């Protein structure tokens, strides 16, 4: 019993060290726990994770640019997610301790940028650091930074998606749905799906993945199924200039889709999503039903299955 209590205390202290971005201290505590009980599953799992990060952080010294180091750490977090999945069932407390370690470490790297570089790349840095605060669980700081980034990058899909994700994690579901819909319309290929955490978007992405879509295609189909499955339900009215751009975009995509080629797999869902936006505009502006039916016919010709789900 005393040994179990000792291991539990050492694990807790190790996780606290990780939260303080002290990987060496955490590793020492985990090794001490292993000395008490060399078969304790959580200790073994955590040591494997600590070794993963020790190998990665050792490479930071060879990267002179702080921004590059920050990007590297975030990329390694994505690798860690895949790595930890291969270890079998994870230990939630330990997983989140390593997550906080990774994103706090990335924040440290970005923060080492010279002040003049921070000032000249304020919006870009606000996006990067805001995303890391989200990953570390500090949603208030994440929102403050991501809202700052969004003010300067109103049409950047990556920024809008990260802000939408943070709104969802903060309980602001309505704002989240509106921004996710906007982000995937602006540019699905700019969105890093792997770094999105909200249950809403993860379930939607998983549902689309079950249909066999991966990579770039998955990103383009997410907004289509977001509409079909009633996820992206919060919409806004378009300005006249936006309607003009939407129709121009549809015309261009229709021509590109007719040409076929390797890009057609991406163009079809992108085009359908724009058809849905146009239908929503017609409904909001109380256009004649014939216009809506005309667009629906185009959806039906492109993807009969989507058409049936949409009108159901």
């Amino acid at each position: 019993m005393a040994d179990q209590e000792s291991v539990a205390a050492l694990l807790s202290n190790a996780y606290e060290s990780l939260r303080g971005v002290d990987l060496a201290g955490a590793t020492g505590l985990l090794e001490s726990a292993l000395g008490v009980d060399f078969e304790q599953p959580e200790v073994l799992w955590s040591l494997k994770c600590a070794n993963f990060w020790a190998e990665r952080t050792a490479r930071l010294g060879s990267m002179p640019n702080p921004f590059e180091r920050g990007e590297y750490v975030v990329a390694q977090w994505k690798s860690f997610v895949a790595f930890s999945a291969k270890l079998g069932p994870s230990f939630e407390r330990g997983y989140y301790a390593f997550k906080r370690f990774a994103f706090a470490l990335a924040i440290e790297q970005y923060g080492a940028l010279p002040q003049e570089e921070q000032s000249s790349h304020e919006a870009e840095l606000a996006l990067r650091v805001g995303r890391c605060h989200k990953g570390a669980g500090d949603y208030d700081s994440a929102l403050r930074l991501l809202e700052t980034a969004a003010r300067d990058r109103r049409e950047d899909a990556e920024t809008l998606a990260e802000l939408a994700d943070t709104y969802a994690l903060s309980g602001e579901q309505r704002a989240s749905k509106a921004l996710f819909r906007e982000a995937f319309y602006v540019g699905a290929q700019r969105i890093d799906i792997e770094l999105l955490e909200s249950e809403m978007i993860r379930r939607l992405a998983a549902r689309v993945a079950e249909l066999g879509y991966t990579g770039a295609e998955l990103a383009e189909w997410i907004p289509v199924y977001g509409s079909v499955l009633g996820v992206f339900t919060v919409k806004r009215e378009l300005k006249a200039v936006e309607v003009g751009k939407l129709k121009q975009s549809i015309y261009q995509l229709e021509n590109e889709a007719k040409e076929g080629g390797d890009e057609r797999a991406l163009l079809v869902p992108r085009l359908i999503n724009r058809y849905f936006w146009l239908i929503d505009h017609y409904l909001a502006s109380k256009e004649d039903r014939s216009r809506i039916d005309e667009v629906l016919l185009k959806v039906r010709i492109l993807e009969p299955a989507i058409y049936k789900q949409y009108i159901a």
Side-chain angles (χ1 to χ4, degrees):
M1 187 63 147
D3 285 351
Q4 290 178 0
E5 291 177 355
S6 174
V7 168
L10 287 166
L11 273 170
S12 293
N13 289 335
Y15 295 153
E16 195 59 38
S17 292
L18 286 173
R19 294 186 188 98
V21 203
D22 181 7
L23 181 61
T27 302
L29 290 163
L30 291 170
E31 288 173 345
S32 295
L34 188 67
V36 176
D37 185 349
F38 61 87
E39 292 184 339
Q40 214 280 352
E42 188 171 356
V43 172
L44 293 170
W45 181 90
S46 296
L47 269 173
K48 289 175 183 176
C49 295
N51 289 334
F52 172 96
W53 282 108
E55 290 177 9
R56 271 64 183 181
T57 55
R59 300 172 192 170
L60 290 176
S62 63
M63 302 177 188
N65 185 285
F67 187 87
E68 179 186 347
R69 295 199 301 267
E71 295 289 278
Y72 172 78
V73 174
V74 173
Q76 293 313 302
W77 167 253
K78 293 195 288 186
S79 298
F80 175 77
V81 172
F83 168 81
S84 62
K86 293 177 182 177
L87 297 179
S90 64
F91 295 87
E92 186 174 1
R93 186 174 56 145
Y95 181 86
Y96 282 103
F98 279 104
K99 184 181 178 190
R100 291 184 66 176
F101 162 78
F103 284 106
L105 177 62
I107 290 171
E108 284 188 355
Q109 308 313 308
Y110 292 127
L113 274 168
Q115 189 59 48
E116 59 272 18
E117 287 191 46
Q118 292 190 31
S119 299
S120 61
H121 298 91
E122 183 179 4
E124 183 71 25
L125 200 57
L127 165 62
R128 281 350 193 226
V129 178
R131 172 190 282 153
C132 290
H133 278 293
K134 181 195 74 174
D138 183 358
Y139 302 140
D140 289 340
S141 295
L143 281 175
R144 176 174 51 80
L145 287 161
L146 291 169
E147 285 171 349
T148 296
R151 280 194 291 272
D152 289 338
R153 301 163 63 119
R154 296 174 185 272
E155 295 189 3
D156 179 67
E158 185 180 22
T159 302
L160 295 176
E162 285 294 338
L163 182 55
D165 201 39
T166 309
Y167 275 136
L169 295 169
S170 302
E172 299 288 342
Q173 295 300 325
R174 184 173 178 80
S176 174
K177 289 183 177 184
L179 276 174
F180 266 132
R181 181 173 177 266
E182 197 87 21
F184 279 97
Y185 172 78
V186 171
Q189 295 307 309
R190 284 275 298 147
I191 300 171
D192 194 332
I193 310 286
E194 292 181 75
L195 290 175
L196 300 179
E197 299 182 36
S198 61
E199 189 69 19
M200 172 184 69
I201 204 69
R202 291 178 73 86
R203 284 185 178 181
L204 178 57
R207 182 76 176 271
V208 177
E210 287 172 2
L211 298 173
Y213 298 111
T214 59
E217 285 187 58
L218 173 71
E220 296 292 349
W221 280 105
I222 281 177
V224 173
Y225 281 95
S227 294
V228 166
L229 299 174
V231 178
F232 293 170
T233 54
V234 182
K235 303 160 187 178
R236 66 175 179 84
E237 289 204 29
L238 298 178
K239 299 174 183 175
V241 67
E242 291 177 312
V243 175
K245 288 181 178 179
L246 172 59
K247 290 181 177 179
Q248 184 179 6
S249 173
I250 287 173
Y251 177 76
Q252 181 179 342
L253 286 170
E254 286 175 338
N255 287 332
E256 291 176 5
K258 286 175 186 175
E259 295 174 5
D262 296 338
E263 288 294 302
R264 193 174 190 280
L266 303 181
L267 296 175
V268 167
R270 195 176 301 164
L271 181 54
I272 292 174
N273 186 39
R274 277 156 175 72
Y275 284 151
F276 288 166
W277 272 69
L278 186 56
I279 290 171
D280 289 335
H281 165 68
Y282 284 157
L283 288 170
S285 56
K286 296 180 171 54
E287 289 283 350
D288 188 271
R289 178 68 200 187
S290 62
R291 289 198 172 189
I292 297 171
D293 290 339
E294 182 183 338
V295 181
L296 284 172
L297 179 59
K298 291 182 177 183
V299 175
R300 184 179 183 180
I301 292 170
L302 268 183
E303 286 288 334
I306 291 293
Y307 167 79
K308 288 179 182 178
Q309 291 179 71
Y310 185 75
I311 65 171

